Amino acid sequence: SEVATPPAPNNTKKLTVLVNGLNVRNAPRLSAGVVKKYNKGENWTLPKNEANTIADGYVWARTPHGYAAIGRNTGKPEADDFIKIS
C-alpha cells in the first residue's frame, strides 16, 4: 500500500499591501530613496524566520525591490498598518 507523503512545512510568510502608493525604499529608513511603489493587493513571500528591521519608528520588511514599512513600531499589528503578514 502507498504511504501518504505529509505536506511540506510552510516555511514562508505572505506579505500583502493594504494601501495604494506604498513606498519601497533602497534601505529600511525614511530618508532612503524610493525605488518602487506598491498598490493595495500586491503581495510577496519571505522566509518565515526572516526578521523585520526596526528603524525611524517603523517596522520594515524586505521586498523583492528593497524595503517597505509594515507600520509604526508599536510592538504588535495595528489597524492602520500598511502591510498584512499571514
Side-chain angles (χ1 to χ4, degrees):
S1 69
E2 290 186 31
V3 176
T5 306
N10 185 358
N11 54 5
T12 61
K13 55 189 173 185
K14 180 178 176 183
L15 291 83
T16 304
V17 178
L18 302 175
V19 296
N20 284 321
L22 178 64
N23 288 329
V24 177
R25 298 180 182 275
N26 58 15
R29 58 183 183 270
L30 294 174
S31 61
V34 175
V35 295
K36 181 176 173 52
K37 288 186 185 286
Y38 279 129
N39 286 316
K40 188 172 184 175
E42 291 189 72
N43 64 74
W44 66 95
T45 58
L46 288 175
K48 204 167 242 170
N49 61 357
E50 180 168 317
N52 297 320
T53 302
I54 296 171
D56 288 350
Y58 286 86
V59 180
W60 301 81
R62 188 170 57 85
T63 80
H65 306 282
Y67 292 85
I70 296 170
R72 294 206 175 270
N73 181 22
T74 62
K76 62 188 191 314
E78 298 288 349
D80 61 352
D81 280 354
F82 311 127
I83 297 172
K84 179 181 91 171
I85 301 174
S86 53

